[in-house]
Each structure stands twice: as structure tokens, then as C-alpha cells.
Amino acid sequence: MMSEKIFLLLTSIFALTNCQSRDPEIRAVCSRQDIGNYVIKWETDPPMAGTVKIYVSDNPDTFDRTRPVLYANISDNITTYITPDNMTRQYFLLSFNDKYTRVVSSRRDAMDQIRNFRDIGGYNTTDHHMVRWGRVYRSGDLFRMSERDSLRLAKLGIRTILDLRTKEEAAENPVSYTNARILSLPVSNGNLEEITQRLKEGRIRKGDGVLFMQDLYLQYVTDNTASFSEAFRILLDPENYPLLISSTFGKDKAGFLTALIQATLQVPEDVIYSDYSLSQDWYADHTRRMRGFARTLNPDAQEALTVMLQTNEAYLDLAFRKIKKEYGSVDKYLIKELNLTEKDLSKLKELLLL
């Protein structure tokens, strides 16, 4: 009886000690101002006292730990890295009391003409890993890129570009960038030609725009497996990184493929949807580019066009629900329909997770 009491007492002490000594939860984010400066924010739970040292590098895997560029009190929760360099992407290693570290960067990069350009790294997964920064990017189409944009892509070291536009789109607006392999993986636009004609003729309403988008996302699941399968084959080759996924607006085709990748890496579903929704920030860009066309439309057609240009989580959710209903999970969908193996999925995690 006494031995049992001693055991329970020791167990309680161990549990209390273990709880008290647990690592703090540290959340850190970084954003970039239009002029190029980086704003870095963090918070700790429980709150910590002490110093955060900040190191900078243009490579997320390598930092000179002998030369901090900034010091701040942990309790400040914010600092700014000022730089005149608006061409080079920077990553930051935050060291809290020389004990706990986090690597952050701005998800979005400043571009002149490339719309919706961002890094898909930095997200935590459900099994306590983090998606590597600087490995996979996503964007709208590249044919409008400025000379400065071209230099920015070169500085990122992008080796491979997956162009998800249709052959007709690519032929009409070819990309002239020569510092990376551009691989055409056409993904269908559904009945876009028909819907565009109906827009011009005013034979469409808001609900028709919703139905078009819903059908489009369901077709991503069912009718484009060859292109998405090839995309994952390319992702499995380490020689292809860093890699950029590009589509017309960078919100639908690129958004769906990115969501598949993130789901395979076990990024939480709510985070996947939140990342997908970031494309809505470029809605104003979409509308500006379509303004001349929109002015020719009647009010009903304008509402339908607005629906088609916006980013709506419901469309991605519809595609994911179809995958789960018919296959059970994204992994099973990739294995059965995209002809990947369990070994392939494990290799992708090795390439893209820390």
C-alpha cells in the first residue's frame, strides 16, 4: 500500500514538473511593407522575459549565428528590419533567449506585374513539422512580368515553373522567362468559352456564375488527373526545386493544386482554406484588369463575373468533400487517381517538411 502511494506521489511530481518545464508555444509572422521593409511579430505562451536575437539570410536553411542583425525584448512582440533592397527575399531566424528558434519570412513578395505571388512555406502540420520556406511558390500568370520581376525570380533561384494554363492561353500569352524550365501542364477551364459568350450576351445571372465555379472545381477532381499527376511527379524530383506553380489568376488551378500538396503534408484543413483565401486580396487586381470588359455587360452579367473572379472557400470545400466521399482522403485520391504510392507521399514530406 505504501509503495503504491509513493508511486502515485512520484507520478504526480513528474507530471507537474513536466508540465511546468514544457516548451513555450511561440507564434511568429512576418509581413513586408511596400517599400521593402519587413515587420516581424511574435508572441509566446506562456509570456517570456528576455531577449530575441534576429538573424537574416537569403537562404532559409543557412544563417550566420554569429551576427544578429537585430535585438529586441521578447515582451516587445514586434520589430522592423529596414532594408533598401526591394529585390532580394529575406528570411529571419528568431532566437528566444538562445534556446528556442523560429524561421519566418513574408509570405508575399513584392512584384511589379506578377499577381498573387507567394510562398506556401512556413505552415505547421498536424504532426509537428513545418513546411519549408522557399521551396514552392504560387502565382498568377507570368507573361506580364517586368524586368525587375524577372530579376526577382532569378534571385529566388526558381528552377521549374508549372504552367497550368490551357494550351490556348499559353499560346495567346507566352512567357518569355528563360531562367527556369517552363513545363506546360494544361488544366481545363471547363465551359469558359460558353460562359464568356453568355456574359457578352447578357444571358447569365449570379447563380449561373456560382454553378460554373462549382462545376469547375469538381472537374479539377475528375477530369484533370493527368496534369495533376505529372505535377506531383515533378514535385518528387529534388532537382526541380525551388518551384513555382502558376495559373491565370493564381487562385483556382494553382489554388487547388496547392491545397492538394498541403493536405498531403498534413497542414490543418482550416489553414489550407485560410491560405487559399489569401488570393482574395488580389480581387481588386482582377477587377481592374477586367474593368473594360465589365463595362460592356448588363448588371446581371456583372454580378456573375464578380462571383467568378472572387475567391470562395466553398468551391475548394466542394472539391475536398467530393474527394473524401469517393476516396476517403486526399492521400487515397492521390494513390488511386494520380497513381502515386505511399512511398511517393513519404518522399514528398521528406522534401518539403522540416
Side-chain angles (χ1 to χ4, degrees):
M1 187 69 176
M2 183 62 69
S3 298
E4 183 178 343
K5 287 182 178 180
I6 293 173
F7 173 76
L8 291 174
L9 177 61
L10 291 174
T11 301
S12 299
I13 293 172
F14 174 78
L16 180 61
T17 303
N18 188 54
C19 179
Q20 290 175 337
S21 63
R22 70 178 177 87
D23 288 349
E25 181 180 354
I26 299 175
R27 294 176 291 275
V29 296
C30 175
S31 59
R32 197 170 189 184
Q33 300 171 328
D34 291 340
I35 59 176
N37 297 332
Y38 293 83
V39 179
I40 306 166
K41 300 179 182 179
W42 62 87
E43 58 181 24
T44 67
D45 183 21
M48 293 173 58
T51 302
V52 55
K53 297 177 184 177
I54 300 176
Y55 307 85
V56 65
S57 174
D58 58 6
N59 183 336
D61 300 320
T62 305
F63 291 87
D64 182 354
R65 298 287 294 271
T66 67
R67 300 178 61 187
V69 294
L70 291 171
Y71 293 84
N73 292 323
I74 296 176
S75 58
D76 290 344
N77 298 121
I78 186 171
T79 191
T80 300
Y81 177 73
I82 298 173
T83 173
D85 184 354
N86 198 26
M87 300 295 293
T88 306
R89 177 176 174 80
Q90 302 290 359
Y91 300 88
F92 302 91
L93 174 69
L94 281 59
S95 178
F96 296 82
N97 291 332
D98 294 323
K99 186 174 183 181
Y100 308 106
T101 61
R102 295 292 184 275
V103 175
V104 297
S105 186
S106 171
R107 187 159 304 286
R108 301 164 182 155
D109 268 333
M111 293 286 179
D112 296 334
Q113 298 295 328
I114 302 175
R115 308 303 181 189
N116 208 356
F117 187 95
R118 62 187 193 265
D119 193 329
I120 75 166
Y123 290 121
N124 293 322
T125 67
T126 57
D127 56 350
H128 310 295
H129 291 279
M130 188 185 82
V131 182
R132 289 179 180 272
W133 288 105
R135 302 288 281 171
V136 179
Y137 300 89
R138 53 177 291 184
S139 78
D141 60 44
L142 305 174
F143 81 94
R144 288 186 177 89
M145 79 168 71
S146 67
E147 184 176 347
R148 284 162 55 91
D149 288 341
S150 177
L151 291 173
R152 290 182 179 112
L153 292 185
K155 282 179 174 289
L156 292 173
I158 291 173
R159 295 183 180 180
T160 310
I161 296 171
L162 305 187
D163 185 354
L164 305 184
R165 297 177 302 165
T166 64
K167 291 181 179 179
E168 292 76 17
E169 289 175 307
E172 184 177 353
N173 297 303
V175 177
S176 59
Y177 187 68
T178 58
N179 290 325
R181 288 195 308 152
I182 301 177
L183 304 179
S184 177
L185 301 179
V187 175
S188 169
N189 285 330
N191 62 336
L192 181 61
E193 186 174 334
E194 175 190 341
I195 211 79
T196 301
Q197 188 61 36
R198 289 176 61 188
L199 283 167
K200 293 177 180 178
E201 297 173 358
R203 297 184 296 106
I204 191 171
R205 294 188 176 183
K206 180 178 179 180
D208 299 314
V210 172
L211 288 175
F212 168 77
M213 295 303 297
Q214 290 175 338
D215 289 343
L216 185 66
Y217 274 73
L218 292 176
Q219 288 174 37
Y220 289 162
V221 177
T222 59
D223 299 350
N224 295 275
T225 53
S227 288
F228 288 130
S229 176
E230 182 61 20
F232 273 91
R233 293 295 172 193
I234 294 165
L235 285 160
L236 288 169
D237 186 346
E239 295 300 315
N240 289 326
Y241 292 97
L243 178 147
L244 170 62
I245 300 168
S246 178
S247 62
T248 302
F249 291 126
K251 72 182 186 74
D252 297 312
K253 300 174 185 180
F256 179 71
L257 177 54
T258 298
L260 287 182
I261 296 168
Q262 291 171 328
T264 305
L265 300 177
Q266 294 184 253
V267 174
E269 192 167 275
D270 63 323
V271 176
I272 294 174
Y273 285 22
S274 177
D275 178 73
Y276 167 83
S277 294
L278 291 177
S279 290
Q280 183 62 19
D281 293 346
W282 278 266
Y283 173 65
D285 288 329
H286 303 338
T287 54
R288 275 196 297 272
R289 290 168 65 177
M290 302 291 286
R291 188 173 293 161
F293 176 59
R295 285 175 182 157
T296 67
L297 307 179
N298 66 26
D300 285 341
Q302 288 181 7
E303 283 193 343
L305 180 63
T306 296
V307 165
M308 294 162 62
L309 291 177
Q310 289 178 330
T311 302
N312 190 332
E313 289 182 14
Y315 305 142
L316 180 62
D317 185 59
L318 180 66
F320 268 39
R321 282 192 284 115
K322 181 176 182 63
I323 288 173
K324 291 172 186 175
K325 179 180 179 181
E326 297 193 7
Y327 302 94
S329 69
V330 170
D331 281 5
K332 291 179 181 178
Y333 166 74
L334 297 178
I335 290 170
K336 184 171 183 179
E337 292 297 332
L338 304 194
N339 299 314
L340 301 180
T341 65
E342 294 282 359
K343 186 177 180 181
D344 290 333
L345 302 185
S346 296
K347 182 177 180 180
L348 189 65
K349 290 180 179 179
E350 291 175 7
L351 289 170
L352 294 180
L353 294 179
L354 289 172

